[in-house]
Amino acid sequence: MRVVLPALLLAVSTLILIPAGAAELPTIPILKLESKPVLDGSEDDWQAIPAVEIPLVYLGKPEWVKTVRLKAGIFGDEVFFYSEWEDSTADTQHKPHVWDAAQQKYLEGPQREDRFALEFAMTGDYDANWFSGKEFKADMWNWKAARTNPIHISHDKMTILSRQAMPESYKGTLPDGSAIYIQRPTDSGEEPYITKRYFKKQQDLMAKYLPRELLTKGTDDVKAKGIWKNGKWHLEQSRKLDTQQADDRRFTLGETVKGAIAVFDHDENEHHFISQTLLFKF
C-alpha cells in the first residue's frame, strides 16, 4: 500500500502502514524541516512533521507485532529521523562480565541491549527479508542502547548478501536449501567500541564494551541520541545526505530509496522485529 496525502494534511496526520501482500510498498515521506532538530531524543522539534506508523513482525512469531512511529525530514545538507516504539524496560547493558564467586572469575551475563536499525539499499535487488534469496548491498545504521548511545552515534555498517562465499560472513540456508552469505562490515573497518576483559574481581558487574576515545573517520557519520521514558524509546538520528564515502548510501532530493527497520528488544541477532520493505521518498 502506498500512502499519498494532500499537502495540507501532512502537518497534522498520522499515516498507518499495514503489512500486506500489496504490489506497491509503503512510502515514508521525508519532508523539509523549518529548523534543525536538536538530537536529544525529544519529539519537541518534530511537531510540524506527521508520524508514520510502521508495524514490525517478530521473526518466527508473526503474531507478535511492534509498532514504530517514524518521522523524517531534511534540513540543509542533513537528513534527520525521529523514531519511537514501546519497550517496557530500558536495557542498557550488553553481555557484561558478571562475577561468579564459586568459580572465582567473570562470566558473560545474560543482559542484552535494546537496538534499533535503519537500512537503506545501495546496490542489487534489495529486500527487507535477508532470506529471500536476493543479493544486494545496503547501508545500515545500528543504534545500540549500551554500546553507541553513550557516545551519541549509531554503529555505521553495511549489509552485504551474496550467493557466493565471502570472508568473515555468516552462511545461511534459504528455504530451497541453497546457501546465502551475509557479511556486515563496519564502516572504516573499526568498531566504535573496544572489548574489555578483567582477570581479578573489581565489582560484581563490569562493562564488557567501552567506547573508543578517538573514532576513526567514517565511524561517527550517524549522530544519534536515544531516551527511554514512560515505557518507550525515543530516538533521533542524523547524517549528511552525502558523506562522500563509498560505504554510505548517498541520498539525493527527489529520489526514492528502498529500506527497512528492525527493533531488538534485549534480543540476540537472530531474534528481532522487522518491517517489510519500505520506500523512503526524499
Side-chain angles (χ1 to χ4, degrees):
M1 178 181 72
R2 181 170 181 171
V3 182
V4 180
L5 289 183
L8 290 178
L9 293 181
L10 286 176
V12 296
S13 298
T14 295
L15 312 182
I16 301 178
L17 305 181
I18 306 298
E24 292 190 73
L25 301 176
T27 298
I28 314 298
I30 300 178
L31 308 176
K32 181 179 179 180
L33 295 166
E34 295 301 322
S35 60
K36 183 175 180 178
V38 177
L39 294 189
D40 56 5
S42 171
E43 195 177 1
D44 291 347
D45 296 330
W46 293 88
Q47 298 307 309
I49 302 296
V52 182
E53 293 191 356
I54 307 169
L56 280 63
V57 176
Y58 197 78
L59 293 178
K61 294 183 180 293
E63 68 277 13
W64 292 8
V65 177
K66 187 182 288 288
T67 299
V68 171
R69 292 182 67 248
L70 180 68
K71 298 186 176 187
I74 292 175
F75 184 82
D77 62 351
E78 295 179 90
V79 60
F80 295 81
F81 293 92
Y82 170 82
S83 309
E84 176 186 306
W85 65 98
E86 291 188 357
D87 191 329
S88 60
T89 58
D91 296 288
T92 58
Q93 298 183 70
H94 193 64
K95 300 180 180 180
H97 300 293
V98 179
W99 183 254
D100 186 291
Q103 300 186 52
Q104 287 293 295
K105 66 178 182 179
Y106 282 105
L107 304 178
E108 181 178 286
Q111 297 89 337
R112 297 296 183 268
E113 68 191 340
D114 294 326
R115 288 183 279 163
F116 182 91
L118 269 173
E119 193 170 64
F120 304 98
M122 296 177 70
T123 61
D125 188 10
Y126 180 82
D127 197 307
N129 177 10
W130 290 2
F131 289 85
S132 65
K134 297 178 181 179
E135 298 177 285
F136 61 83
K137 292 183 180 181
D139 188 1
M140 175 182 280
W141 305 359
N142 198 342
W143 173 82
K144 304 173 179 181
R147 289 176 286 177
T148 69
N149 196 47
I151 52 175
H152 299 180
I153 66 170
S154 289
H155 196 163
D156 198 356
K157 310 181 73 170
M158 289 181 68
T159 302
I160 304 174
L161 268 65
S162 176
R163 293 299 193 104
Q164 305 299 317
M166 299 179 290
E168 298 182 6
S169 62
Y170 166 79
K171 181 181 179 181
T173 302
L174 299 176
D176 64 3
S178 61
I180 188 75
Y181 295 88
I182 304 171
Q183 191 183 68
R184 301 177 63 239
T186 294
D187 287 13
S188 79
E190 184 177 84
E191 294 185 339
Y193 42 79
I194 61 173
T195 301
K196 182 74 172 177
R197 297 182 65 189
Y198 305 91
F199 298 98
K200 294 182 179 180
K201 182 181 181 182
Q202 297 185 33
Q203 298 181 29
D204 288 338
L205 189 148
M206 298 293 294
K208 179 178 180 178
Y209 300 98
L210 301 176
R212 292 185 183 276
E213 294 183 2
L214 183 63
L215 297 178
T216 304
K217 176 179 171 55
T219 305
D220 61 348
D221 288 329
V222 184
K223 311 300 183 184
K225 182 59 180 178
I227 297 292
W228 184 91
K229 62 180 180 180
N230 300 325
K232 293 182 179 180
W233 274 110
H234 307 260
L235 171 65
E236 287 183 286
Q237 299 181 90
S238 71
R239 202 208 72 183
K240 295 285 187 184
L241 293 168
D242 183 5
T243 65
Q244 306 281 324
Q245 297 178 88
D247 49 18
D248 289 326
R249 169 74 199 215
R250 177 184 178 183
F251 301 124
T252 304
L253 297 182
E255 75 171 344
T256 299
V257 179
K258 285 185 177 181
I261 294 172
V263 166
F264 298 74
D265 187 353
H266 58 81
D267 282 322
E268 297 283 7
N269 287 334
E270 62 271 20
H271 301 296
H272 57 276
F273 295 85
I274 188 166
S275 73
Q276 66 182 109
T277 301
L278 307 170
L279 296 179
F280 294 87
K281 186 175 179 59
F282 286 81

